[in-house]
Amino acid sequence: MFEPNMLLAAMNNTDSNNHNYNHEDNNNEGFLRDDEFDSPNTKSGSENQEGGSGNDQDPLHPNKKKRYHRHTQLQIQEMEAFFKECPHPDDKQRKQLSRELGLEPLQVKFWFQNKRTQMKNHHERHENSHLRAENEKLRNDNLRYREALANASCPNCGGPTAIGEMSFDEHQLRLENARLREEIDRISAIAAKYVGKPVSNYPLMSPPPLPPRPLELAMGNIGGEAYGNNPTDLLKSITAPTESDKPVIIDLAVAAMEELVRMVQVDEPLWKSLVLDEEEYARTFPRGIGPRPAGYRSEASRESAVVIMNHVNIVEILMDVNQWSTIFAGMVSRAITLAVLSTGVAGNYNGALQVMTAEFQVPSPLVPTRETYFARYCKQQGDGSWAVVDISLDSLQPNPPARCRRRASGCLIQEMPNGYSKVTWVEHVEVDDRGVHNLYKHMVSTGHAFGAKRWVAILDRQCERLASVMATNISSGEVGVITNQEGRRSMLKLAERMVISFCAGVSASTAHTWTTLSGTGAEDVRVMTRKSVDDPGRPPGIVLSAATSFWIPVPPKRVFDFLRDENSRNEWDILSNGGVVQEMAHIANGRDTGNCVSLLRVNSANSSQSNMLILQESCTDPTASFVIYAPVDIVAMNIVLNGGDPDYVALLPSGFAILPDGNANSGVPGGDGGSLLTVAFQILVDSVPTAKLSLGSVATVNNLIACTVERIKASMSCETA
């Protein structure tokens, strides 16, 4: 079995200052032995020469009695005060202090050495007592679980049962369930400590909707007969590490942590104008995951930002797979923790080590996702900062995931005043991106799609969003502002689920099967069928998803402002039927005025048709912008605005993903570059889940998306004319 002590032994560095000094008991900190320092100049009025018994005799000098010099109370107080400010004084400081106190520099030196040793022993005793208490708690829990298992009853007959009578799988599931319950309790306690409330009430930190919802993916036949999981799903082919793999994983994780810290702290010659020097990197870090595979391209970037979140909360987000995939939903389409090799020590994530799989995405079906199998390791640094690093484990798999492997990538998190943190992110991957569509090749190759700047921008944006949820000083002077705190949280949680669903459904994930339709224009429309059964979060029936991506010679900021503005909505939204769109309520959740969750009402031009409500979230950062919306039921939204549970509001999100093309020389006026725009719709084409999909429905959705694209191009060309 794997022993946690193996991890601790490999991770702890030896303190270079941990020398053993010959010193007396801790209470004798004011004494200096003459056989350690014997100078005639040290004899003063404070000298206390004691007659010794046989126990005080030096065995090498039986006639020499041990003598001690007791420092005065004033001398001790002065050195204690100086120690608090500077426990390691240099030669100049020791000489100055000795002159002021009437002592020899060597006496001062020995006093500080003894004091440091005393403090170290004190801290070690305190830590040992804490660890003993933790060990005792675990022992008691173990006994309690053993008793519970011994008294377990058969679910069929109610009689007693023994471990040997259970199936092996059932026994393993029970043990895993007990471990997970302990983990939940531990994380809840940590969250309550830093947030001041239970983790279940912590907004936007709840796990995303779990994958096993009854929304299944079609397997290539858009006629709607075949449903289920895609057999080419790469993440499902990865298995958990074996016992023999674990020492290798630990070594890789420790080396990756050292590499990440140096990559963050060192500039030239490793980084030259924010570009990694590959030759210098190979010389500096000869170890690692081996040479770059043939056909792979190296991609490295580094970015820093100050975000409005406590450093402890950032660490928790990164080490919890559900929170991580929720916060970074625009980048992480799926993520799974396969094994936890260490949960950390002393009640936090210091030393935590996990084995994970993840799928990284760009919100477009034209860019293949990047599937990775990696270890994630968290460690607190000597200066109090925290580092979280990923390192690929492809070499441990017989058939590793294709296209991407991560060298030491992650972030260093430094605490700042007033609840802020400085985050420095390094992203270093080797990737086979030959499957990327020509439209996105420049953006991907320059690092704009998956680089460190994208990760930091998403984190900064989500920290703003979380701060807006926690805000209590909401101004009620502006019309339409939702001031009800519970209503704000419920509406933001509903919008968060809408964004996650949109991002997960628009990418080229290996869990999806897209079918390409030849569009009437230059763009191809990709469609995918799915069915929803007994899911309160989605309407039941056959859902047809359609998406297309295209380039437009307009800066992303202008495209974003045009699409999010309710006054210009009837220029592109065919489903609004020319009705007047009015904003009824909104929640601002960022510095940029475009970061907002809105409730829109479409007043139909035809009096015979009922009005429609639309939930919309618009969000923007320097690397990407989104306008995502979904029709919602009026009665359900009234419940949400009063603080009700938003999980039972059925949503089929549609919208836009707007990315910069990364090319300032694309000929767009102003030199800001053009936009890569993805348009995606989800349409309920039949309310009966077992119905067959007609080709007429596919043609209707194809025409809908083609007309929307043409309207957007026409409106934007009029603006640029």
Side-chain angles (χ1 to χ4, degrees), residues 579-621:
V580 178
V581 181
Q582 178 186 3
E583 183 182 73
M584 297 181 61
H586 73 270
I587 303 173
N589 58 10
R591 294 187 297 263
D592 193 295
T593 55
N595 290 322
C596 179
V597 175
S598 305
L599 189 61
L600 309 176
R601 181 174 63 189
V602 180
N603 300 311
S604 176
N606 188 343
S607 58
S608 64
Q609 294 180 342
S610 60
N611 295 334
M612 178 174 58
L613 283 184
I614 295 176
L615 176 67
Q616 174 177 292
E617 172 151 2
S618 58
C619 53
T620 183
D621 62 56

Side-chain angles (χ1 to χ4, degrees), residues 477-517:
E478 188 176 348
V479 178
V481 175
I482 301 176
T483 57
N484 177 11
Q485 190 71 13
E486 295 302 320
R488 286 171 58 89
R489 292 186 179 183
S490 294
M491 187 167 170
L492 284 170
K493 187 177 180 182
L494 179 61
E496 179 186 62
R497 176 159 66 87
M498 178 178 68
V499 172
I500 292 173
S501 177
F502 174 85
C503 292
V506 77
S507 71
S509 170
T510 56
H512 300 170
T513 299
W514 290 99
T515 300
T516 303
L517 305 177

